[in-house]
Amino acid sequence: MTYDPTGHQLLTPIDREAPVRVQRLRQLGFGDRPDPAFDEFAHKLAEVTGAPYSMVNFIDEERQFFAGLHTPAGTHTGTHSGRDMGATAGGGEVRRFMARDHGYCPHVVVRRKALVLEDVCDYPRFAGNPVVDEIGIRSYLGAPLIDRTGIALGTICVVDTQPRPWGRAGLETIKSLAAELLVQIHRREEGSI
């Protein structure tokens, strides 16, 4: 991982597992289209955590794709807009794609550990991320989706435009929900064999 020239923002970490992840996502049939089951799971994430935005996020070499997405207004574009996530703190439209260098999920995938940011502005290495200024994100809670092959497929996460005291309870909740979604993914795979 490297820092930008000003020494403030931690740039998106190098993801050596990305090619293998892409192969696994293709094998599972994930990563390029919305999925009603993942949208439903994202809605559950929002309900359980009380967060306005929640995602089931698969990450490839170039971008992030929200196969499951919940927003306060329930508005988001379809599968192949090819544009970055474009919400505002005022509740603008949210798209299913986001650049890999935006947000915190790529850090979770590479670290293979859950991440709790109660107020991203309290963490200089994360405060400079484009989602803070462009979208208005102030808090993040995410966990990796590490499947039975050992590959981190992506994440589940919730975000808010206000600081949130997620605490240890939030950390345990997001990890538990990630495990629950992995069970669903594995059942799906077994059903398609």
Side-chain angles (χ1 to χ4, degrees), residues 85-133:
M85 181 174 177
T88 64
E93 182 180 36
V94 178
R95 296 175 191 91
R96 297 253 181 192
F97 294 100
M98 188 163 72
R100 192 179 165 280
D101 65 346
H102 284 51
Y104 310 106
C105 289
H107 296 272
V108 171
V109 166
V110 170
R111 290 174 23 151
R112 302 172 66 86
K113 293 181 183 177
L115 178 63
V116 179
L117 301 172
E118 294 181 342
D119 185 341
V120 298
C121 294
D122 289 343
Y123 303 88
R125 68 183 194 169
F126 293 121
N129 194 286
V131 298
V132 175
D133 292 332

Side-chain angles (χ1 to χ4, degrees), residues 69-83:
L69 178 61
H70 172 85
T71 68
T75 60
H76 42 297
T77 62
T79 59
H80 298 289
S81 69
R83 298 169 62 192

Side-chain angles (χ1 to χ4, degrees), residues 11-30:
L11 300 177
T12 305
I14 296 169
D15 184 359
R16 299 188 199 298
E17 192 176 69
V20 176
R21 176 182 315 107
V22 169
Q23 213 172 25
R24 179 69 174 142
L25 288 170
R26 284 187 188 134
Q27 181 183 31
L28 292 168
F30 301 155

Side-chain angles (χ1 to χ4, degrees), residues 1 10 13 49 64 102-120 123 125-127 129 131 137-145 154-159 164-175 178:
M1 292 186 256
L10 181 64
T49 63
Q64 302 175 67
H102 284 51
Y104 310 106
C105 289
H107 296 272
V108 171
V109 166
V110 170
R111 290 174 23 151
R112 302 172 66 86
K113 293 181 183 177
L115 178 63
V116 179
L117 301 172
E118 294 181 342
D119 185 341
V120 298
Y123 303 88
R125 68 183 194 169
F126 293 121
N129 194 286
V131 298
I137 300 302
R138 285 294 300 273
S139 60
Y140 172 91
L141 178 63
L145 295 170
T155 67
I156 59 168
C157 70
V158 295
V159 298
R164 293 284 300 267
W166 305 112
R168 177 156 297 285
L171 175 64
E172 295 307 317
T173 297
I174 200 74
K175 288 165 62 175

